[in-house]
Amino acid sequence: MVFKALHHDPDGPLLLPNAWDHASAAALAGQGFAAIGTTSLGVAAAAGLPDGHAATREETLRLARRLGGGAFLLSVDGEGGFSDDPAEVAGLARELARAGAVGINLEDGRADGTLTPAPVHAAKIAAVKAAVPDLFVNARTDTYWLPDPRTAPEPETRRRLDAYRQAGADGVFVPGLTDPAAIQELVAYLSPSGVPLNILYSPTGPTVPELAALGVRRVSLGSLLFRVALGAAVTAALDVRAGRDVAPAAPTYGEVQELSGGGDATEI
């Protein structure tokens, strides 16, 4: 499986940028990214819906059908599977695979600030792997974003990752973990199993080369690109309103048209 092999590339970790629509995915693929993920925040925000509330199942599938099977490998952010029923999550996985997705990200964080019980999340993972064995399941735990005040995050993280690995997860994801020493310790803990560790890039955390040196095998950008793009759009509008020059980093109208296979047209 090509996508799985990218997590074990000796040249360095898989840097996975996350898109929110066709244009963003096509633009990233055009820069040589072989694999692209989706961002649940971008998908939800574009539809005027909250992220992490299991409200965007159809929007997520619609985007996967638009992007899947193209020139790049697609991994889909499926929140928590949009259900706690393993059979329903397995059904989602089948639809994503039919759409051309090669991976799914499943998180155990809940909108109410709690974590899904580990056995429940593990059951979802097992159901997905039984339904679509070739779909790469990246099992995410939010122990660092939603810590239990009764326990330190390190042992709870390991306990959950053990359960998810045993359920069949192909990779594990710990967003919010940025301390180099803690990352290195977790890599060493996971090393005997061969399951790759995914870390969410943080502008205030280690760089990609530093994460590579720590043994991280996948680096996700999450919602960063969507938030940067949204911020740049607002900044440009404010600059125009204030009579300031707009930074010339934007692609041209024609370049954006080409992302969707459009021909020459009058620029608007």
Side-chain angles (χ1 to χ4, degrees):
M1 182 180 177
V2 176
F3 186 60
K4 188 172 186 178
L6 290 176
H7 294 73
H8 301 279
D9 190 333
D11 290 336
L14 168 63
L15 177 59
L16 191 75
N18 300 76
W20 57 94
D21 61 10
H22 178 273
S24 56
L28 291 165
Q31 294 300 312
F33 289 97
I36 294 170
T38 63
T39 163
S40 63
L41 176 63
V43 173
L49 295 169
D51 181 32
H53 286 68
T56 58
R57 186 182 191 278
E58 293 310 311
E59 285 78 11
T60 298
L61 282 170
R62 191 175 301 117
L63 181 59
R65 291 174 184 131
R66 188 171 293 127
L67 302 181
F72 53 86
L73 301 170
L74 175 67
S75 182
V76 175
D77 183 348
E79 295 190 9
F82 307 109
S83 173
D84 276 345
D85 181 345
E88 291 185 4
V89 180
L92 170 71
R94 289 191 190 93
E95 292 190 69
L96 291 174
R98 282 196 292 268
V102 298
I104 185 173
N105 193 76
L106 291 174
E107 65 196 51
D108 61 12
R110 287 176 162 169
D112 64 1
T114 64
L115 295 172
T116 301
V120 173
H121 199 61
K124 297 182 194 181
I125 294 166
V128 169
K129 293 303 294 184
V132 194
D134 290 337
L135 191 68
F136 188 101
V137 176
N138 197 42
R140 167 179 147 181
T141 185
D142 287 353
T143 46
Y144 279 83
W145 275 351
L146 304 172
D148 185 336
R150 298 169 298 179
T151 182
E154 292 85 356
E156 180 64 10
T157 298
R158 294 187 180 191
R159 184 181 75 84
R160 286 178 171 270
L161 296 188
D162 284 344
Y164 303 162
R165 288 190 298 108
Q166 291 165 13
D170 300 285
V172 292
F173 184 20
V174 188
L177 177 59
T178 58
D179 177 68
I183 292 172
Q184 192 168 40
E185 289 175 3
L186 186 55
V187 167
Y189 180 76
L190 293 169
S191 181
S193 71
V195 173
L197 176 63
N198 182 188
I199 290 294
L200 181 69
Y201 171 78
S202 170
T204 60
T207 64
V208 171
E210 289 169 342
L211 289 170
L214 294 172
V216 172
R217 302 309 309 155
R218 172 166 157 177
V219 181
S220 295
L221 298 187
S223 65
L224 176 63
L225 301 182
F226 173 75
R227 291 183 286 111
V228 168
L230 187 60
V234 172
T235 296
L238 293 175
D239 286 342
V240 171
R241 186 171 70 181
R244 295 188 292 265
D245 292 336
V246 177
T252 66
Y253 180 90
E255 288 169 339
V256 176
Q257 275 282 76
E258 289 176 3
L259 295 175
S260 301
D264 294 337
T266 302
E267 183 168 348
I268 298 174

